[in-house]
Amino acid sequence: MAAGLAAHLVKSLPPKTISERIHTLSANRITRVLEQAFGRLGQDTETGRGFWGRAVLANNFRWALKDAGYPKEFIDVAVEGLIVEASRRKSDTH
């Protein structure tokens, strides 16, 4: 799941674009792309099942983004958003 989310980001917002244009990209565009990627969480019925599942997902996502070449600042924001979204989805199912 984490690799699929990272692949979606690489297509929609390549690491080179983030690295070269981080100050000129709109926050709305970045947020929109991240929300689209996180929208895919609903397609995976195992996502967000408990603390450990979310922790594994977040760490795998972090490493996938790092391997793709994203800057640390972007990775931190993206992973934080993923954790919040996965936690929110878990609470919505109960």
Side-chain angles (χ1 to χ4, degrees):
M1 185 71 203
L5 293 173
H8 177 80
L9 285 179
V10 168
K11 278 186 188 177
S12 302
L13 202 58
K16 183 177 180 182
T17 301
I18 292 290
S19 296
E20 293 175 355
R21 298 180 45 211
I22 191 68
H23 298 292
T24 60
L25 283 172
S26 95
N28 287 336
R29 177 169 181 223
I30 294 170
T31 301
R32 191 171 45 252
V33 170
L34 288 172
E35 287 174 348
Q36 288 171 352
F38 300 155
R40 303 178 78 206
L41 288 173
Q43 299 169 359
D44 181 6
T45 58
E46 295 301 312
T47 301
R49 302 278 180 168
F51 173 79
W52 293 114
R54 290 189 307 275
V56 168
L57 176 66
N59 282 319
N60 288 342
F61 184 59
R62 177 180 300 280
W63 284 107
L65 293 179
K66 186 174 182 174
D67 290 345
Y70 285 99
K72 182 187 181 319
E73 295 80 15
F74 177 79
I75 292 171
D76 291 343
V77 169
V79 170
E80 181 180 348
L82 175 69
I83 292 168
V84 168
E85 186 64 22
S87 297
R88 187 184 67 79
R89 288 180 187 265
K90 180 183 184 290
S91 66
D92 286 349
T93 61
H94 290 95

